[in-house]
Amino acid sequence: MIVEEDEVTVYPALFENVKKFKISDVKSAEVKEPKKEIELYDAQHKKFYTVDPAATKAYLFAARLVEEGILQMN
């Protein structure tokens, strides 16, 4: 996972396609237990991506979402 300015590029571990989106496209996010996956939602509250907590630098991405006011950590 690479975050540059507002653009996020996610490189899959296996045979999936590269996913690109903008942080500004993320209108809300939720941490789902028990795996602590981060689900990303658009303006229509439709889930469009799930961040695996094992992904490289997922914790930095989560911190960015908190900084942007998108994700609330308890």
Side-chain angles (χ1 to χ4, degrees), residues 13-57:
L14 294 175
F15 302 107
E16 299 174 27
N17 295 327
V18 172
K19 175 79 173 176
K20 289 187 176 196
F21 58 89
K22 294 187 179 292
I23 290 178
S24 59
D25 293 338
V26 181
K27 299 304 178 194
S28 65
E30 297 177 11
V31 176
K32 295 294 184 174
E33 298 294 337
K35 294 183 180 180
K36 299 198 182 295
E37 298 169 320
I38 303 170
E39 292 185 351
L40 306 178
Y41 298 90
D42 63 14
Q44 289 76 36
H45 201 67
K46 180 181 174 190
K47 180 174 74 169
F48 69 90
Y49 192 73
T50 301
V51 179
D52 186 323
T56 304
K57 300 187 181 181

Side-chain angles (χ1 to χ4, degrees), residues 1-19:
M1 174 180 290
I2 298 173
V3 179
E4 295 182 75
E5 300 291 324
D6 188 44
E7 187 160 300
V8 179
T9 305
V10 181
Y11 294 94
L14 294 175
F15 302 107
E16 299 174 27
N17 295 327
V18 172
K19 175 79 173 176

